[in-house]
Amino acid sequence: MKRGLITICICLMGQILFAGSGWVKKKGETYIKLNQNWVQSIGGYFDSEGNFDPQRESSLFTTSFYTESGLGENLSFEMNLPLFTSNRLIITDEMGNETLNESIGGIGDVNLGIKQSLVKKDYFAMSMTYTLGVPLGSVSGGTDGTLFTGDGELNGMIRTDIGIPFGFGEFGGYFNANLGFNFRGNVFSDELLFGSELGISAFKSRFWLISRIVGIEAVQSGQTSNGNPFAGNVSFINYSVEGDMYLGERLGLSVNYVGNISGADVLITPSYNIGVFLDIK
């Protein structure tokens, strides 16, 4: 398995589940989420040319902890920690016979971020997020060392978010768009990040329906993945639909589905998520 494939699976979770917004948590406000994610390839994956490869199947199961907490009126802290990641790889020959079936499990790479409010109006919000990716995961596993729970590289990301709230009758909502850049280490390609998000609330904001489009485009600054397990020029565009239901004033349940529009060196989704969150205000 190419490391670019594992890398993008782990990155995918953070981008889709916690896409961010133009608003920053105030001091005393905290959001905590325990999430279970699983990605199962459908008979293969997209190779480096974006073509279907039916001889490589993979699955990724990750239990993650996410938190966002206000540090002041204009600053908040973010952390996304994959507590346990389990990855399985199955390779078959042209006759459909398994030639490899292995798995690895352990902690994943943690992302630590600071979000700064740039503009905060009733009708418009803008923020900047600075994220550091710390390589805590395993970079070599399996008999041939090609299974991973992390990418082994220290990376830095900057992202700008803009948010626009709206309301009509009993319903409320927001639109958010973001643009960012991921500065990667080692021989990985740097990445352009982009996305949009639309959220609509009902029942006095006790239920939220959220749709997202998230994309990554490699800038081809690193070595190609072909024949090199330590690099990847990974690109994809994914969509997701999420439902959040508050069970009380603070406690809630979240479910999320992720589908793939296009990609290269990525698992063919779907991806499923279920989580429990605590929203303290």
Side-chain angles (χ1 to χ4, degrees):
M1 171 180 268
K2 299 178 178 66
R3 185 183 295 188
L5 178 56
I6 280 293
T7 302
I8 205 61
C9 289
I10 296 172
C11 182
L12 166 70
M13 290 185 302
Q15 291 296 310
I16 291 289
L17 299 178
F18 316 112
S21 71
W23 293 273
V24 173
K25 293 287 185 185
K26 298 178 181 179
K27 188 174 183 179
E29 295 182 342
T30 299
Y31 180 87
I32 299 172
K33 185 175 185 180
L34 184 64
N35 186 79
Q36 179 62 52
N37 165 273
W38 62 101
V39 183
Q40 179 69 52
S41 63
I42 306 176
Y45 86 115
F46 290 124
D47 64 17
S48 59
E49 302 300 322
N51 300 316
F52 178 73
D53 183 352
Q55 295 177 263
R56 186 182 293 267
E57 298 183 25
S58 186
S59 59
L60 186 72
F61 296 83
T62 301
T63 303
S64 61
F65 173 82
Y66 174 82
T67 184
E68 183 176 350
S69 183
L71 301 177
E73 288 301 313
N74 298 309
L75 284 177
S76 64
F77 168 77
E78 298 179 353
M79 180 178 69
N80 182 30
L81 172 62
L83 298 171
F84 183 80
T85 297
S86 175
N87 180 260
R88 178 174 293 276
L89 172 65
I90 300 175
I91 297 178
T92 58
D93 58 24
E94 294 182 355
M95 301 299 294
N97 301 311
E98 287 188 8
T99 60
L100 180 69
N101 188 335
E102 292 187 330
S103 64
I104 186 176
I107 193 171
D109 294 345
V110 61
N111 287 327
L112 304 172
I114 294 292
K115 180 186 286 188
Q116 178 184 12
S117 177
L118 302 179
V119 179
K120 185 169 55 176
K121 303 290 186 180
D122 292 339
Y123 55 89
F124 179 80
M126 182 176 182
S127 67
M128 182 75 73
T129 304
Y130 314 90
T131 303
L132 180 67
V134 182
L136 300 182
S138 173
V139 298
S140 180
T143 57
D144 59 356
T146 57
L147 286 175
F148 306 87
T149 64
D151 54 29
E153 53 112 9
L154 187 70
N155 65 290
M157 183 183 71
I158 58 172
R159 187 188 73 239
T160 300
D161 286 86
I162 59 171
I164 301 173
F166 59 84
F168 45 93
E170 297 294 324
F171 300 93
Y174 66 91
F175 172 78
N176 191 83
N178 62 75
L179 182 66
F181 197 84
N182 189 16
F183 299 91
R184 307 193 66 189
N186 296 338
V187 292
F188 289 97
S189 290
D190 295 335
E191 296 166 338
L192 178 68
L193 316 174
F194 56 92
S196 63
E197 181 175 330
L198 177 66
I200 298 177
S201 67
F203 307 111
K204 298 181 179 180
S205 296
R206 295 184 65 85
F207 177 77
W208 284 86
L209 183 64
I210 303 169
S211 62
R212 299 184 180 101
I213 298 291
V214 176
I216 288 181
E217 183 67 32
V219 298
Q220 306 292 319
S221 60
Q223 300 177 26
T224 62
S225 291
N226 297 330
N228 184 348
F230 299 102
N233 290 315
V234 179
S235 300
F236 75 82
I237 299 177
N238 279 4
Y239 68 90
S240 73
V241 179
E242 179 177 319
D244 293 344
M245 173 66 77
Y246 281 81
L247 306 177
E249 292 298 320
R250 299 178 177 180
L251 184 66
L253 178 67
S254 175
V255 293
N256 177 282
Y257 172 86
V258 182
N260 186 270
I261 297 174
S262 64
D265 272 348
V266 293
L267 287 178
I268 298 173
T269 49
S271 169
Y272 304 94
N273 304 274
I274 184 168
V276 177
F277 64 85
L278 190 64
D279 192 1
I280 303 172
K281 297 181 179 180

